[in-house]
Each structure stands twice: as structure tokens, then as C-alpha cells.
Amino acid sequence: MSKVYAVNTASAQKANINREEYAALYEFSIRDPETFWSEQAKKYVDWFTPWQNVMDGDLQEGNIRWFHDATLNVCYNCLDRHLPEHKDNTAILWEGDEPHENEKITFQTLHEKVCQLANGLKSLGVKKGHRVCIYLPMIPQAAIAMLACARIGAVHSVVFAGFSAHALRERLIDADCSVLITAKEGRRGGKTIPLKDNVEHALQKCPCIQQVIMVDSPDKTYLDCKTLMDSMPKDCPAEPMQAEDPLFILYTSGSTGKPKGVLHTTAGYLLYTTMTFKQVFDYQPSDVYWCTADVGWVTGHSYLIYGPLSNAATTLMFASTPNYPDASRIWQVVDKHQVTILYTAPTAIRALMRDGDDYVKKTSRKTLRLLGTVGEPINPEVWEWYYHMVGEGRCPVVDTWWQTETGGIMISPLPGATELKPGSATLPMLGIEPALLDEQDKEIQGPGTGKLVIKKPWPSIMRTVYGDHKRFLETYLKPAAGYYFTGDKANRDEDGFYWLAGRLDDVINVSGHRLGTAEIESAIVSHKAVAEAAVVSFPHDIKGEAIYAFVTPITGITVDDNLMGEIKARVKHVIGSIAVPDIIQFTSDLPKTRSGKIMRRILRNIAHGELQDFGDTSTLADPTIVDALIAQKPALK
Ligand code: PRX
């Protein structure tokens, strides 16, 4: 039996939804989704003109549309509508890499800056539907750039600043971006991130880019962002957008091929992120909300920028790491800015837990009332530490399960409504109907383990893979006909609570970063000395999963530390530091079936240190390879 924490009565007193309301509303949202979503749409979003249909299309065909024909603007919802009442409230609270670097931006100022950049983009010829790439560190200009695009109907594609020149170029070309907004450099954890060098490298073979705007470097070669903005009026009308007009593209890794440009549209995404932000974080007007995610990932889109700002919340944007200059930084920031809601990743909590309780205890944290996690499973003992040590048993922990593709949180406790079980993401959001499928794709009833799928479209489901609708259908809608296929495995217990149990495909999750093993393999084999590579993950105390690469050099190559270093550098060059293997094992061959298929199961066993039981190996072309791999396995550090 897993441990259960009852609904926290202190937090329940002012919660947005209580237990009975959740149960009744959930039942209603599934029984009558049209009415449910129509009511939510009126409650959470300001529309320019109303819709004809709440939803049309289905998960068979993938032609999903929400609020078709309505018009609205996401930026208007995040800024303009708050000005009458909240113009002097802080919208963005920025904490730089060094503790003395701080900035407060009110809704009024943010509105002006966004309008100026929006006008600046227009002056460069950017129009509705054009793609603008944003490659920036965690600075307010990243939020300003996203909102400016949304204001004029340009589609942004934010590329995480940790990605390499090669990865940036690939994304610029795939989305056919005409403008790039970037910076000379970023600072994180005391280190410099050389963005401009990457940009220059990326642009060498990137004809689509016509303008580069630099936010921090007056340089003759590029447009200076400040000069551009200063010359522009502080007002810019928010473009009326159709509900299904694209809002942004965000690249994410899959099990095969190059990263996919996940496309989200306007109305459904805004409604869903606005509603779930309010409900999951139990947002109240006096809260100071801090999501530690980078803008380069979906959490940074939905719950650092759009969800909070649409709710007129104060969102803290943090440019550093939780443990710089030391492991109490995160808690010091909480105290300094009187943070009430903290949303972070299990990998960060594990690292802070390892550093010891003293760093936590020397801070107050008394303003905190809610804690959240996202991106990977949280081990129950880490959950308990977060709950007891950080939150002193006072703050509910919301373990939120969702994906880049889902746009917003799909399974999570609602504070005040849901009992908590450490390690479980608990129950579905309103309007979300998950199911578990068995091997035959039959729905499992009651408790069980299976493929996690979603039964009906929800407003923020991705609409397509940019430029490749077939891939969207094949990856998400065909694997289990009639359902949205998540790629995750899950258990459901006797109370209907969901427990995520890892991926079903070759996607790995390193420190909450999603990586495709195929992507890393192709980066490794792009080294001239490599003939073949196979990448698997292995459990890691801090990162959750770490990367183990089996590499076969071409005949005649001497294997040494030098080659190992070169291969790591190659991966860093092609993707970025986040994808560099923790372990490289050289091998003269890989375990393959007689038809030439690599038996990854065997490689996983070896990487996990499970060296005894390999199951059925009779289909291997050369069974002796397994013994050789075991004998040469490097010691885990
Ligand atoms: O495997 C699940 C894991 O992260 C994947 C989605 O990754 P990404 O698109 O990068 O989005 C991460 C932030 C939303 C999922 O398919 N995952 C995400 N949240 C959880 C999780 N696994 C377990 N528990 C979670 N709370």
C-alpha cells in the first residue's frame, strides 16, 4: 500500500476547487464536454468575436479544431486585459545569475515593451504567420519577444540556449524562420554561454534568415534590439487571430529521426494553460509564482509565460541554477521574493537533497504554500523530502504529468481537492479522459498497467508536426487508433490514481530533458572514426536517467581517451552538452539478431548492471558478443 496524505485542510480553505466540486465537475466535463469547455472558455479567455463550434474533428483523422471561427489574441489576454486593474503589479520578477541582479517589470511596462518590439518586427516586414526564432537565455527579452510575436500573429519557435549551432540551424531551416532574436551571450551558474558564436556558425548555411536582432550587443552586423524598440511607438494593436491560427512551434525529440516541430494554436492552448494554471497552482491574486523551467522548453512556455500572465500573476524568471553560488540559492530566492508557489523538476530536488538539509534549514521559506514538480517521475523519498524538509508538511506537492505535445498539465493533484500519494501524478484534469491499453490495445478497466492514451481531444492538444502532418498522424494517432498515444507507460491503482512508469519508446529523460536515442546515435556516428553506435539509458541518482553509448569504431582505429573525448565533443557540437554520453563503451560489435536488428534489451541490461539474466538470446547472430560486452564494461563512476 502506498502512503496517502489527506487533503491539506489549511490549503483547502482558500482552494479554487474542493474535492466534491472536482468530482462533480469532472463527471460533467466528460459527460458534456461541449458545455463544459464553452463555460471555461467564457470564464478564462477574452474573445474578440465568438465561436461557431466548440470543437470539431477527432482523434481518428487528426483534423481537430477548437472554437472555430472565433477571434482573439493571446498577448491581449496576457497583458491588455489586465491593465485597468493590474497595470502597476509586477508581471515579471527577474532574478539574474548573480544574486544582486534583479528587475521588476510591471504589466504596464511589459505592455509597452512588447508593443515596441511588435512594431519593430512589423517594420522589418514580419507578418501574421511568419516564423520568428528566439534563441535567448533566461532574460525578460525572451518573454517580450514571445509576446510580441503573439501580438502580431507571428509564430515563434524558441530554441533552448543550450542547443548547439548545428541544432539551432536545423530548427531555423525546418521552420523556415525569417528573423532570429538572440543575444551575444548568456550567463548561467557563473559560466558564459556563447550564443553569438553559435549563431554565426548556424547562419553560415541558413538562407532563410533575413534579419538578426541582438538584444545585448550593439554591433554593426546585426540589428540592435534596444535601438529598434526605442524608435517605435509604445502602442501596437493586438492582431485579431483566428482560434486555429498557429501560436508557436516547439521542437521535441522522438524515438526516430530529427526533432519534431510540435505546433500549438491560439485559442485552445490559451484556454487550457490559463485554466490549468489557475486550478493546479490554486493561483490567488497575492501569490508570487516561480517556475524554474527555461523558456526553451514547454514548461517555460505554458507555466512560466502564458498560463501565469494570462491569469495576471507575478511570474518569477530565474536566469541561474538552483545551486549557484551555493545550494541554498533556490531557498534564498524564495525568501527574497516572498515566493508562495514553487514549480521545479525532480532532478533539481534530488541535487539539492544530496547537498544536505543545512542549506534548506538556514532559510525561512515561510511564504511557500504550494510545491510542484514536472518533467520526470519523482521518487517517493525525494517527494517526502520536498514535502517535509522544504515545505515543512504545510504545502501540498503537485506532481504534474504532461508533454510538449499536450500543451498543458494532464494529470495532477489539485490542491484542496486531491489526496496526495508520493510518486503518483494522481488524477486527470477536468475534461481529460486517460485510459490504459493492454497489448491488444484493449482498454484496461480498474487497476492495471498499460500504455497511457487519452480518449478525446482537449483544447491544447498539438495540431500537427510543422511541415509533416503525416508524421503527426503516425506518431500520435495511428499507434492506438482513435486515441492520442502518449508514448508513456502507466499504472492505475485501486483509487484510480495514475503512476507514470517510463517511456514505451526510445526516448530518454536526462535531468528532465527529453532526448531521442536515435538523435544521439546519429551525432556519434557522424564522427569519422565511428562505424556504429547504440545508445540506452541507465538510472542515475541525480539526473534520473543518464546516457550510455555503445560505440563500434571503424576497423583499424585505435581506441583511447582521446577518441572518447572527440566523440563527446562531436555530440556537444551536433546537439548540445545535455546530450553528451556519461559512459562510452567501445566494442567490436553490437548484439544483433540474425536479421541485423540491434537487441537493445541486452544493452539496457548491461548498462543497468544487470549482468545475470539476459532472457532469450537464441536469436543473436553472435552470442559471444554478450560475454565480451560484460567483460569490457567500464566501471560506473
Ligand atoms: O515521459 C513523460 C515525462 O516527460 C515526457 C514529456 O517530456 P517533454 O515533452 O519534454 O515535457 C516535459 C514537461 C512537461 C513525458 O512523456 N514526464 C513529464 N512529466 C512527468 C513525466 N514522467 C513522470 N512524471 C511526471 N510528472
Side-chain angles (χ1 to χ4, degrees):
M1 270 292 274
S2 53
K3 193 160 177 180
V4 184
Y5 287 89
V7 171
N8 175 321
T9 46
S11 84
Q13 272 168 16
K14 59 173 191 171
N16 290 316
I17 297 183
N18 67 33
R19 207 175 154 152
E20 291 70 35
E21 283 163 347
Y22 166 76
L25 258 178
Y26 182 76
E27 190 275 326
F28 169 61
S29 72
I30 302 302
R31 181 168 39 84
D32 186 358
E34 277 281 291
T35 313
F36 171 76
W37 286 115
S38 161
E39 283 173 1
Q40 304 306 310
K42 288 178 199 146
K43 180 169 171 186
Y44 287 106
V45 172
D46 280 13
W47 304 83
F48 292 158
T49 54
W51 55 87
Q52 304 291 322
N53 282 331
V54 173
M55 201 279 287
D56 50 67
D58 58 41
L59 291 174
Q60 292 281 355
E61 301 290 328
N63 49 352
I64 298 152
R65 297 192 304 192
W66 282 86
F67 307 106
H68 182 52
D69 267 2
T71 58
L72 72 160
N73 183 284
V74 168
C75 181
Y76 178 92
N77 274 272
C78 289
L79 300 178
D80 305 48
R81 66 165 163 165
H82 308 317
L83 294 182
E85 269 186 61
H86 306 290
K87 69 178 172 38
D88 298 324
N89 290 8
T90 304
I92 297 179
L93 191 54
W94 183 71
E95 166 93 7
D97 195 33
E98 300 299 333
H100 65 265
E101 297 170 322
N102 293 279
E103 196 180 336
K104 276 187 185 172
I105 304 179
T106 62
F107 277 95
Q108 173 80 46
T109 309
L110 186 57
H111 180 263
E112 286 169 7
K113 287 181 186 272
V114 166
C115 284
Q116 286 180 302
L117 184 55
N119 282 325
L121 288 171
K122 277 192 190 172
S123 76
L124 300 176
V126 177
K127 296 203 165 53
K128 192 167 170 172
H130 288 184
R131 273 83 49 218
V132 172
C133 178
I134 301 170
Y135 183 57
L136 285 174
M138 285 285 280
I139 51 176
Q141 284 89 339
I144 294 169
M146 290 163 78
L147 291 162
C149 288
R151 194 161 189 88
I152 62 171
V155 181
H156 59 70
S157 164
V158 181
V159 174
F160 173 55
F163 277 126
S164 69
H166 183 278
L168 170 65
R169 181 194 298 135
E170 200 174 46
R171 286 157 176 76
L172 288 171
I173 293 174
D174 188 81
D176 194 21
C177 295
S178 55
V179 172
L180 170 63
I181 305 177
T182 188
K184 179 165 165 262
E185 60 187 29
R187 304 254 328 146
R188 191 161 185 269
K191 295 193 193 103
T192 300
I193 315 162
L195 297 180
K196 195 169 150 210
D197 293 351
N198 286 349
V199 166
E200 278 170 356
H201 213 92
L203 293 183
Q204 278 168 16
K205 289 184 220 135
C206 195
C208 54
I209 289 292
Q210 288 157 19
Q211 301 278 358
V212 177
I213 304 175
M214 281 276 169
V215 302
D216 61 351
S217 155
D219 178 321
K220 282 199 286 302
T221 335
Y222 305 108
L223 265 173
D224 175 44
C225 193
K226 189 167 177 314
T227 315
L228 177 70
M229 284 169 65
D230 286 350
S231 68
M232 293 291 152
K234 289 182 177 165
D235 198 16
C236 169
E239 184 77 27
M241 301 297 291
Q242 291 285 324
E244 283 301 331
D245 278 339
L247 177 65
F248 67 82
I249 300 166
L250 185 58
Y251 286 85
T252 192
S253 299
S255 52
T256 53
K258 61 183 175 100
K260 298 181 278 264
V262 168
L263 184 99
H264 282 290
T265 56
T266 300
Y269 175 82
L270 177 70
L271 167 61
Y272 196 76
T273 51
T274 308
M275 180 191 90
T276 49
F277 175 78
K278 175 85 176 154
Q279 292 168 350
V280 173
F281 300 107
D282 186 26
Y283 172 71
Q284 309 286 339
S286 55
D287 278 316
V288 176
Y289 165 84
W290 181 13
C291 164
T292 65
D294 192 283
V295 281
W297 309 110
V298 74
T299 310
H301 283 57
S302 303
Y303 299 108
L304 174 71
I305 309 291
Y306 290 119
L309 293 180
S310 175
N311 277 283
T314 299
T315 182
L316 195 155
M317 190 175 195
F318 180 52
S320 193
T321 63
N323 54 5
Y324 175 77
D326 72 36
S328 71
R329 175 75 181 278
I330 185 168
W331 318 122
Q332 283 170 7
V333 173
V334 166
D335 286 349
K336 177 157 112 187
H337 297 294
Q338 306 276 289
V339 171
T340 56
I341 305 168
L342 174 67
Y343 189 35
T344 191
T347 190
I349 307 168
R350 286 191 293 261
L352 294 162
M353 183 173 160
R354 179 200 53 190
D355 289 328
D357 298 351
D358 289 347
Y359 286 107
V360 189
K361 285 185 184 151
K362 69 181 184 192
T363 59
S364 153
R365 289 157 285 106
K366 67 175 187 317
T367 52
L368 283 176
R369 64 174 194 86
L370 184 65
L371 300 170
T373 77
V374 59
E376 38 172 338
I378 178 160
N379 339 36
E381 63 281 14
V382 177
W383 191 105
E384 296 276 359
W385 185 82
Y386 198 33
Y387 182 74
H388 291 290
M389 177 56 55
V390 176
E392 295 171 337
R394 184 180 68 236
C395 313
V397 173
V398 292
D399 173 357
T400 63
W401 174 84
W402 58 294
Q403 310 176 296
T404 306
E405 295 88 336
T406 67
I409 296 167
M410 302 291 279
I411 302 181
S412 167
L414 298 182
T418 320
E419 291 166 333
L420 305 173
K421 296 187 188 184
S424 168
T426 76
L427 297 173
M429 291 293 96
L430 299 173
I432 302 299
E433 205 176 351
L436 299 178
L437 302 184
D438 66 15
E439 291 297 316
Q440 284 72 47
D441 283 351
K442 248 182 80 237
E443 273 186 41
I444 299 169
Q445 305 299 329
T449 301
K451 301 174 203 168
L452 178 65
V453 294
I454 311 292
K455 285 173 83 162
K456 292 208 190 87
W458 63 99
S460 63
I461 182 176
M462 69 182 285
R463 300 300 195 264
T464 192
V465 171
Y466 187 74
D468 196 349
H469 196 62
K470 191 160 161 267
R471 195 167 172 207
F472 166 65
L473 299 176
E474 273 162 13
T475 314
Y476 303 103
L477 304 191
K478 293 232 170 101
Y483 300 93
Y484 165 80
F485 178 71
T486 68
D488 279 341
K489 190 163 73 178
N491 307 319
R492 188 171 48 217
D493 68 16
E494 56 291 347
D495 296 322
F497 279 39
Y498 287 87
W499 300 74
L500 276 299
R503 297 285 305 185
L504 292 155
D505 53 14
D506 290 321
V507 165
I508 60 180
N509 195 327
V510 181
S511 302
H513 299 316
R514 175 170 157 184
L515 296 163
T517 53
E519 244 179 295
I520 308 173
E521 286 161 8
S522 73
I524 296 174
V525 297
S526 72
H527 188 286
K528 59 185 185 314
V530 175
E532 205 173 17
V535 166
V536 294
S537 69
F538 66 98
H540 189 280
D541 287 348
I542 305 294
K543 301 184 195 184
E545 288 184 90
I547 305 169
Y548 197 123
F550 294 87
V551 176
T552 309
I554 57 172
T555 318
I557 289 288
T558 316
V559 161
D560 55 16
D561 285 351
N562 203 15
L563 178 59
M564 184 145 2
E566 279 181 24
I567 292 173
K568 289 186 176 178
R570 186 74 209 147
V571 177
K572 189 170 168 196
H573 173 80
V574 176
I575 307 175
S577 312
I578 52 171
V580 172
D582 297 80
I583 294 180
I584 293 180
Q585 175 169 358
F586 289 108
T587 170
S588 59
D589 204 354
L590 292 167
K592 290 185 194 137
T593 60
R594 278 184 283 275
S595 58
K597 196 168 176 293
I598 297 171
M599 283 182 83
R600 286 174 183 274
R601 178 172 59 77
I602 292 179
L603 297 177
R604 261 181 232 120
N605 279 7
I606 292 171
H608 285 220
E610 292 159 5
L611 307 178
Q612 301 298 326
D613 182 14
F614 284 91
D616 181 11
T617 53
S618 61
T619 54
L620 278 178
D622 173 12
T624 63
I625 190 70
V626 178
D627 296 329
L629 283 169
I630 293 173
Q632 291 154 16
K633 181 175 159 56
L636 294 188
K637 286 184 198 101

